[in-house]
Structures are given as C-alpha cells and as structure tokens.
Amino acid sequence: MTGPDAWTVEFEGWDPSDEGRREALCTLGNGYLGTRGAMPESTADGVHYPGTYAAGFFNRLADEIDGVAVENESMVNLPNWLDLRIAVEDGPWLDPSTVRVLEHRQALDTAHGVLSRSTRFVDVAGRHSRLHQRRFVHMERRHLAGLHTSFVAEDWDGLLTVSSGVDGTVTNSGVSRYRHLAGRHLEVLAADEVGDDTVVLTARTTQSRHRVAVGARTRLPRPATTVVARGPDRAEGRIGQRLTVEVHAGETVEIEKIAAVVTSRDVAVSEPALAATELLAEAPGFTDLLAEHTRCWERLWRWCRIELLDGARPAPVETVRDLRLAGFHVLQTVSRHDLDLDAGIPARGLHGEAYRGHVFWDELFVLPVLVLRFPALARALLLYRVRRLDAARRAARAAGQRGAMYPWQSGSDGREESQRLHLNPLSGRWLPDTSDRQRHIGLAVAYNLWQYLQATGDLAFLAEQGGAEVFLEIARFFADLAEHDPADGRYHIRGVMGPDEYTTRYPGAAEPGIDDNAYTNVLTVWVLRRARELLDLLPSTRRRALLETLDLGRDELRRWDEVGRHMAVPIHDDGVISQFAGYRELAELDWDAYRRRYGDLQRLDRILEAEGRSVDDYQASKQADVLMLFYLFSADELRDLLGGLGYVLPPEAIPRTINHYLARTTHGSTLSALVHAWVLARAHREEALHHFDRVVRSDVADLQGGTTAEGVHLGAMAGAVDVVQRCFAGVEIRGDVLRFNPHWPGRSGVLELALHYRGRPLTARVTDREVQVSADAGPGGPVRIAVGDEARDLWPGRTVRLALPRSGRPDGEDGQRAPSTVRTEVIDPPPAPRS
Ligand code: BGC
C-alpha cells in the first residue's frame, strides 16, 4: 500500500488474497448505510464479498449444531446496489479473473468520502480497455449512493453491453466460520422497472419482517453515446437493465448509477419502494450529488479537525493518514443519521459480518470521541441502551437479580445475543461460549452515561429521558450481585468474567465464571458512588419521583454505600492488583516455548484447546483487564477509589501491575493494544508514538491476521483518535471543568484539536509546554478550562493559554505529574485557527 498524502489510502495491483481487507477498509458509509469496497462486477465468490448493511437492520435465523438448537441474530446483508457488469461484444462479463489485468489501483479519499478504482486490462480477444470508477455513499442524503463508470476502449471499436441492477440473491456469508450456518435472511417480494431508467427491488427479512427497497437509476450522461438497445434484465432475485452501446477506440463511455436504499425501519417513510422510487426520480445527477457529498465531508472534517503540526520530528505521513482513516470510519459508522435510527454502535462497523453487527462494550471506546464532537449523537446512541432497559431488567430477573443486566452482545431488542457455541477453527470443535458472563458491560453503559453528563451538562437527559433510571438500575444490579462474606467483612462479586475473554472459569470447574474480577469490582464501586452523586444532582421532585418509581428506599441506598466502602479487590503482597481472586495461583505458561512453536499467540485460547489444554489454567490474558482501570481512571482517581475501600496503592504498584500483565497478554483483541498504548504512554511518554502507531495500524495492517476482511474494529479505530485527545492531549472532563494533562512528545510539534464542550466549539492547541484553548465567538457564558490545579474561565471569542514550565516534566513512573507551577494567560482577541 502506498500513499502520497495523508488523506489518501491507495492500493496498487490486483491481489485476490488481499481483496477482503481492501473491501473492508474501502467501505463507504454514512451512519445509516454502509457498502463494502467490493468491485461492482463481483459477487460473493470467496475472493470478493459485496456487502451493504443498514444500521440496526437485523434478522434472526435458527440452526442446529451437534443436536443443539441455536439462534443467531445478524445485521442483514442487503440487496447489492453496486451490481454493474460489463461485457465486450458478446463476451463474458468482465472481472479481474476473466481478463489479464495490466494495471489496477484503488484509492480512498478520506477527505471527501470517495472511493475510486482504475483498472487497465486486456481481454481474451487481445483488446485493451480501461475502466475508471468513482463512488460515494451520500453523507447528507442518507438513502442515496452513486457509482460513476468511465470505460475507454483503447484499441478497438464495437459494442459494449452493460447490465446495471440490484441483486437480491445475496446472503450473509462473509465470515467463513459462520458459513455453514443459515444465512438467507431475505425473500424478494418484488422486482420491477419503475421508469425508463430505474428499477426497484423489494425484499423482506424472514423473521423480523422488515422490508427493504433498493432502487437503481442508470443513465449515460454523454449525449454522444449511441445506445443500440436498452431493456430489462431479469433473473431470479435480481432486476436490472441491459444496455448495449457503441464504443470507438479512444472514446469514453460513461455510465452513471444512482441507488436508493430505504427500509421499513425508517422514519417519515410511507412504503420503502415508493420512497426509493421518488428519491430516484428527484435525485440530481452523479456530479451534483458528489459535489454536495464532498462539501458535507469538508464540513465534517472541519468540525472534527485533528492536526499534528510543525514538529521537529513530526509524526510520519502514514501515521497521520492512518489516524484519519480511523476517524473516517468512525464518522461513516455513526453519524447524525443515527439520531432517529435506534441503532447502537456495531463493534465491526457497517463494514462486514463479524460478530453479526452486534453491539458490545466497545462503545466505551467510541463515545469519548463522539461526546466531545457530537453530543446529540452520543445521546442518541445512549438512548439505544435506555430503550432496552426493560429487556435488561428482564434478564436480571431471570438471573435472580434486581436491577438491570445489560447483555454482553446486543442486537434489535436488547436480549442477550451472544452465541452459545463457538467454533475453534484450529480443532474444528464447537465449544460452549460463556462470554455472556461479562456483566461488566452494564458498568460501561453507566460510565458512558456519566461521561456524557460531564461533557454536556445535560441533566435533563438523565432526569427526563431515562438516563438516570438506567444508571440507577445498573447500580442496583451490581450492588445486588455483591455478596457479603462475614469472614472478611467484604463484598464479593462471584461467577462473572472480566474483559479478558480467555479466563472463563477456574481450572477444572464445572461452572463458568471467576470471583472478584478487580475491574468489575472497582468499577462497581465507582458506579455506586456516582449513583449517589447523581441522585443529589437531580431536582428534588424528580429525585423523589424516581426513587418512588424504582422503589429505591433508604435501606437499599445504605447498602449501596456499604458495598461501595467494603468491596473486595484482590491485591497481592507485592502490590500487583490481581485480575481476580486466585489468579496468581494459576500456572505460568512457558511463553518462550509457545512463541517458538506458534509465533503468533494472539489466539492462544484456540492453540491450547487444539492441544487438548485450556487457557483457563494459565496466567494468560487475551486483552487488558486490570489495566482497563488505568485506562478509565487517572492514578489519583484509582488511588482514591481503592483508598475508600481501605487499600493502599503505593507508587511502585502501578508499574509493577502494568509489567505483570504486559508480559502475560497476547493482544487477541485490538482493544488490548489500544489500552496498553494508553497505559504505557502515561508512564513512558517518549514511547507513546510507537505504541500509538500500532493502534492506528490495527486494521490497515490487519494486525490480527485476517480479521479486518470481516469488518473493521471500530473500538480500536475510535480508540486511536481517543489516544490523541484523552491521552496525548490529556483531555479529561470532570467536575464541570475541561481539563488538560498533556502527554505529548515535544518533538512532535503542535497537536491541534477541534472539540465541542458544553455547547461551545473550541480549538485546543497542545504542545509539550502549553495548552491554548480558543472558544468560538457567540452568546453565552464561559466554560472552565484547567491544567493541573489551575482553572480559568474561557469566554466566547477568547483564548486561554495555560503554560507548564519544563521543570514539571517528565511525568513520574506512577503516571503522576511532578509538582509544577502553572502560568495562565487570557489572550484577546483569539488567534485565527489554522486550517
Ligand atoms: C473482545 C471484546 C470485544 C469484542 C468486540 C472481542 O474479541 O474480546 O472485548 O468487545 O471483540 O469487539
């Protein structure tokens, strides 16, 4: 892969084995819709996988595996609007496998959301031709997408046949592990020509009964093109139009296809096919739509600007490009079109079928990016959880608990969607899947609600729109889960799983689950403390009403305090926080031997299972678990949380804990690299860029070896942006103040960020020496900005500069800044933001 600038991701040469990765990375989307970067002439054939997905559009299918009935809900692969086939004379449809490819190049322009493809080839008859295609999924008009094709016959005259249509025969078969499970989610209801140049196909999902209409309008914009014939092109499950046109050597034939996708889940729609037909009748041509679309992207990037400027040793152009690519895919997966969609954040984007489009705790890594740029969108995504509060309550009741138990994997209605069995491709065995024991998902939901409140001050969302109810029901669930043990006077949470998915149970145990996962227990304490704070924040009438509705009395609240002061957290004599009770008694793996034998240990669980062993028996982690605590909390906050429980966290305990898990973690989840980069960046600032580079390359370099093709890792992509803002720039929203605690290497120059805090657009410029924040002009009061203990009011139209003398650096190993004096200055008028 090459790239001349930091906004273009390029792929040179035709490489079938890399096509899946390219398709995922070249996915175009607008939050409502996502379409993989598959070639328009392709079908799912093991090399290509055209996939189009609509956010929140799910269907459920049943299967039987080894006599066990299973059900899976999946984000449905929609009828393929890209479908455009070209044949020279009467020859076969062209595709890279039926011609000799001379040149092939794909380029993704992340500044404007445009994917282009150029292929030069010679066909079986020795004729040379050139094909150039550009496409977009419209960022403003959510239902529309466009594909423009230029075809040049280099050295021949003759006829070109084009078939442009919509293919409703698609299935969900993008992930090989799921391929022998049922995958046909759609039945085609109708496929019609609805005008001279337009076709519409309507399909319905088999179980959820959602309808989707996909229309395509095909035009030849050059008046000089001679059309010899035009007519319908029908096949089972597909509708298209077939055009025969004359071509002459050196001349260009242009084909313009505009597609409309509408579903029965959409608001303000009467009937999908009708809406698609009308949208296509009214839509302007490709050029105008493209111009609107690119302007929209320019606005988006201005709003979300992240610039790395002027360093003595600035970040390499590849790093900047990969960071933008990561941000680009986040902006394409969740956008303002999600405001009315009732869709969550799919872990693998709208980019592929891994994890079936389900929503996990990954929003913990995505929302911090959104909350400081698109607070209304963050609220909409939190509402996805609010609407599923009753489902979470039902799940808690079924488990014998009070409160709300959010599912580890969530889809349409908020029931638990985790698979019951999973396949180990190394052994070919289907194994019980107990990952739904990850109760900590609920804590992440609560943490996100709190972060939202901090960033926006939008108490009304919590008070009036169900946010507080969710928070308190989660607190109730975890308080209820904690059992008191008179032997040590502490509360214990038993039988759960932490974020590390390797550890599912104690060695040889019949029942899944481990006890006192430090991450779960500490976060529970945090949630219980915030729950009390939240109640105090609510207007008294609202608080009374809520306490009454939830039947939350004094005794129960007293118990929350009790649990919050006496929770058990396993800590070893050497100060290392234990992943769970009994963790240090597990065997040590011979890491060197396993590395020698297998090289890549990311899926150590599968390796050991295939050997007849169990990863449960070892001190081995798939991903950050204890270290998540350092990710979510500053050293001071963590010390405070543990201190409140009567535990002391001496300074040397932090590096010791980090080192312990670093040596025993395989990074089998991309989230792990992210958290480790973050945690290390705090203690070893100069190493930060190296780790950051690994995070931004997770998908570009397919660091997990083959998983990118199944969809990008949205948590890691958003996390890359988040490392820049919350780790390097040290942005923290706490106590009605926007704080900066930068960990930005000086040699890397200036880090410039556009942020949105408490309703006000801000520009922050961070170096290793100072933080300068400017507020957009406009009515309203100031926001509070702080570096260290020094806080200042920032008024609209003003700039605050907070400087740290060099003596205040570097940070100590424990992640705490050495004491320093902060100089502050208010500058007026503000300097013009850099473009
Ligand atoms: C990780 C989870 C994550 C999920 C979806 C898994 O591999 O272990 O932490 O939520 O992927 O991204």
Side-chain angles (χ1 to χ4, degrees):
M1 197 165 63
T2 55
D5 69 66
W7 288 105
T8 312
V9 182
E10 286 183 283
F11 302 88
E12 285 290 345
W14 164 236
D15 178 0
S17 68
D18 193 31
E19 194 53 17
R21 179 187 70 112
R22 295 181 184 188
E23 287 180 355
L25 291 174
C26 291
T27 295
L28 294 182
N30 59 15
Y32 167 77
L33 192 69
T35 294
R36 286 166 64 85
M39 292 182 203
E41 67 271 24
S42 69
T43 53
D45 58 3
V47 173
H48 309 272
Y49 192 74
T52 288
Y53 311 95
F57 195 88
F58 286 103
N59 188 57
R60 188 176 290 283
L61 290 177
D63 276 289
E64 204 180 290
I65 303 172
D66 295 345
V68 181
V70 294
E71 252 189 32
N72 285 301
E73 187 177 68
S74 304
M75 181 170 77
V76 176
N77 184 12
L78 303 182
N80 180 20
W81 67 269
L82 281 175
D83 185 340
L84 187 98
R85 307 165 197 195
I86 297 176
V88 172
E89 299 284 352
D90 291 333
W93 296 121
L94 298 171
D95 85 58
S97 60
T98 60
V99 294
R100 190 152 60 81
V101 176
L102 303 174
E103 288 161 32
H104 180 71
R105 180 174 176 271
Q106 263 172 301
L108 177 64
D109 172 357
T110 56
H112 303 108
V114 179
L115 175 65
S116 57
R117 169 263 180 112
S118 303
T119 308
R120 196 169 161 259
F121 59 91
V122 50
D123 63 30
V124 278
R127 291 169 291 220
H128 290 76
S129 308
R130 222 166 46 232
L131 185 70
H132 182 70
Q133 289 174 318
R134 283 173 299 151
R135 72 170 85 156
F136 62 79
V137 170
H138 207 284
M139 192 35 108
E140 187 125 20
R141 306 191 193 209
R142 65 169 96 177
H143 302 287
L144 296 187
L147 170 70
H148 183 279
T149 304
S150 306
F151 186 96
V152 179
E154 290 188 354
D155 53 6
W156 57 277
D157 300 321
L159 294 178
L160 196 70
T161 307
V162 177
S163 176
S164 170
V166 178
D167 182 7
T169 66
V170 294
T171 61
N172 276 51
S173 53
V175 176
S176 60
R177 293 181 301 289
Y178 312 157
R179 228 164 258 163
H180 50 286
L181 301 174
R184 188 166 295 283
H185 291 279
L186 293 173
E187 45 200 30
V188 174
L189 300 180
D192 302 302
E193 277 195 301
V194 294
D196 293 347
D197 53 15
T198 304
V199 295
V200 175
L201 181 143
T202 307
R204 187 175 55 198
T205 52
T206 56
Q207 168 271 334
S208 52
R209 302 275 157 178
H210 298 314
R211 270 163 303 125
V212 57
V214 181
R217 186 186 80 189
T218 310
R219 289 182 180 163
L220 305 173
R222 287 190 179 220
T225 308
T226 309
V227 180
V228 178
R230 178 170 198 146
D233 190 7
R234 288 178 180 281
E236 186 67 32
R238 177 181 187 269
I239 177 83
Q241 286 199 327
R242 191 178 288 231
L243 297 92
T244 308
V245 298
E246 277 179 14
V247 279
H248 303 285
E251 283 179 10
T252 306
V253 173
E254 286 183 41
I255 307 146
E256 189 185 286
K257 181 172 188 178
I258 305 299
V261 178
V262 184
T263 85
S264 52
R265 291 189 76 248
D266 295 335
V267 295
V269 160
S270 153
E271 193 276 325
L274 177 66
T277 307
E278 285 175 359
L279 281 165
L280 289 175
E282 286 162 14
F286 183 90
T287 312
D288 289 346
L289 284 173
L290 179 66
E292 272 175 22
H293 167 75
T294 56
R295 278 199 300 274
C296 188
W297 266 105
E298 282 164 7
R299 283 195 298 276
L300 252 183
W301 278 121
R302 273 204 301 278
W303 192 254
C304 303
R305 196 169 64 255
I306 295 186
E307 300 286 347
L308 316 181
L309 306 164
D310 306 333
R313 276 160 59 205
V317 72
E318 290 79 11
T319 306
V320 180
R321 181 199 61 196
D322 296 346
L323 175 66
R324 285 183 176 147
L325 178 70
F328 175 72
H329 283 304
V330 175
L331 296 175
Q332 292 202 111
T333 307
V334 281
S335 78
R336 68 186 179 82
H337 301 305
D338 290 86
L339 293 179
D340 55 28
L341 271 185
D342 186 32
I345 304 178
R348 304 298 283 274
L350 301 170
H351 298 60
E353 292 165 13
Y355 290 129
R356 302 186 169 90
H358 293 169
V359 181
F360 293 65
W361 74 321
D362 301 43
E363 61 197 25
L364 185 64
F365 302 87
V366 182
L367 283 168
V369 172
L370 301 181
V371 95
L372 281 166
R373 287 168 185 81
F374 307 101
L377 173 58
R379 185 180 54 218
L381 294 164
L382 290 169
L383 276 171
Y384 168 83
R385 296 298 191 180
V386 173
R387 294 191 193 98
R388 285 151 186 84
L389 174 59
D390 277 340
R393 282 177 169 141
R394 272 197 300 279
R397 268 203 308 279
Q401 236 74 51
R402 291 190 299 165
M405 181 170 100
Y406 275 88
W408 173 239
Q409 296 190 28
S410 184
S412 62
D413 61 5
R415 77 178 82 171
E416 180 60 76
E417 298 293 353
S418 296
Q419 52 188 354
R420 299 280 151 224
L421 297 169
H422 68 241
L423 177 68
N424 179 0
L426 295 183
S427 67
R429 276 189 285 271
W430 284 94
L431 307 159
D433 191 318
T434 58
S435 53
D436 64 327
R437 290 260 162 170
Q438 292 184 73
R439 304 285 180 250
H440 64 86
I441 174 83
L443 299 165
V445 173
Y447 185 89
N448 292 330
L449 283 166
W450 190 257
Q451 291 300 314
Y452 171 78
L453 178 64
Q454 294 297 308
T456 60
D458 179 7
L459 195 58
F461 171 66
L462 280 101
E464 310 299 338
Q465 280 187 279
E469 218 162 317
V470 169
F471 201 103
L472 296 171
E473 285 288 67
I474 290 172
R476 172 179 259 168
F477 172 75
F478 281 92
D480 210 34
L481 203 58
E483 292 167 15
H484 187 249
D485 184 349
D488 62 2
R490 292 221 174 248
Y491 287 86
H492 300 266
I493 295 183
R494 302 202 165 97
V496 299
M497 270 175 69
D500 166 31
E501 294 198 329
Y502 279 177
T503 316
T504 62
R505 66 185 75 214
Y506 287 104
E511 283 300 312
I514 43 93
D515 302 338
D516 289 331
N517 169 248
Y519 171 76
T520 305
N521 289 16
V522 172
L523 216 60
T524 296
V525 171
W526 181 88
V527 166
L528 292 174
R529 288 193 190 178
R530 295 294 88 80
R532 294 309 301 261
E533 230 173 282
L534 176 60
L535 282 171
D536 292 342
L537 283 175
L538 294 175
S540 58
T541 40
R542 185 64 200 130
R543 179 172 57 241
R544 259 200 314 280
L546 198 58
L547 292 176
E548 214 176 283
T549 321
L550 296 178
D551 193 17
L552 190 55
R554 276 219 184 86
D555 288 350
E556 196 173 348
L557 289 174
R558 249 198 305 276
R559 185 164 187 279
W560 291 13
D561 289 342
E562 264 290 296
V563 177
R565 274 184 288 115
H566 299 287
M567 181 68 90
V569 179
I571 300 180
H572 290 279
D573 296 343
D574 57 3
V576 170
I577 302 176
S578 191
Q579 193 170 309
F580 52 88
Y583 165 83
R584 288 291 273 281
E585 275 98 71
L586 298 182
E588 287 280 13
L589 187 81
D590 186 345
W591 291 94
D592 289 341
Y594 270 84
R595 253 184 219 111
R596 271 197 306 276
R597 197 164 340 144
Y598 293 99
D600 182 355
L601 297 185
Q602 288 185 87
R603 293 315 302 256
L604 180 67
D605 55 335
R606 291 179 179 167
I607 291 174
L608 289 172
E609 195 277 331
E611 283 184 350
R613 295 170 208 269
S614 169
V615 75
D616 286 323
D617 299 348
Y618 299 95
Q619 289 184 45
S621 305
K622 176 182 177 188
Q623 65 201 97
D625 192 303
V626 170
L627 298 195
M628 278 300 300
L629 293 172
F630 300 113
Y631 177 76
L632 295 183
F633 303 116
S634 67
D636 286 345
E637 265 181 300
L638 190 57
R639 219 171 257 126
D640 181 49
L641 280 165
L642 290 173
L645 296 169
Y647 297 109
V648 184
L649 189 65
E652 67 280 5
I654 295 183
R656 212 171 271 165
T657 301
I658 293 173
N659 291 337
H660 182 87
Y661 294 103
L662 251 187
R664 292 165 182 81
T665 302
T666 69
H667 308 299
S669 158
T670 52
L671 297 176
S672 187
L674 160 66
V675 176
H676 282 80
W678 179 294
V679 168
L680 288 172
R682 279 196 182 170
H684 309 279
R685 200 147 39 100
E686 273 304 310
E687 283 177 35
L689 285 182
H690 166 71
H691 296 289
F692 171 62
D693 197 50
R694 223 187 116 77
V695 179
V696 291
R697 288 191 313 117
S698 292
D699 276 309
V700 168
D702 197 6
L703 290 181
Q704 286 200 327
T707 61
T708 297
E710 302 168 349
V712 297
H713 298 78
L714 206 71
M717 288 196 147
V721 178
D722 197 29
V723 169
V724 172
Q725 68 169 16
R726 286 199 302 156
C727 186
F728 288 152
V731 174
E732 190 191 353
I733 34 180
R734 187 158 48 90
D736 295 328
V737 181
L738 180 67
R739 298 166 190 280
F740 290 84
N741 177 20
H743 294 77
W744 182 238
R747 62 181 170 78
S748 301
V750 184
L751 171 59
E752 189 174 284
L753 293 174
L755 300 172
H756 194 272
Y757 174 67
R758 300 269 163 124
R760 184 156 301 281
L762 306 175
T763 301
R765 303 187 89 228
V766 175
T767 66
D768 66 327
R769 308 218 52 203
E770 70 170 31
V771 175
Q772 184 176 304
V773 191
S774 310
D776 267 22
V783 289
R784 267 327 251 168
I785 308 288
V787 168
D789 296 333
E790 184 74 25
R792 296 296 299 246
D793 279 345
L794 173 60
W795 287 87
R798 299 284 176 93
T799 293
V800 166
R801 183 190 286 159
L802 299 125
L804 275 168
R806 277 200 185 279
S807 60
R809 298 172 174 280
D811 295 348
E813 278 279 296
D814 61 348
Q816 269 196 315
R817 186 184 304 292
S820 64
T821 325
V822 180
R823 272 189 298 114
T824 63
E825 195 184 331
V826 180
I827 305 169
D828 188 18
R834 304 187 54 138
S835 59

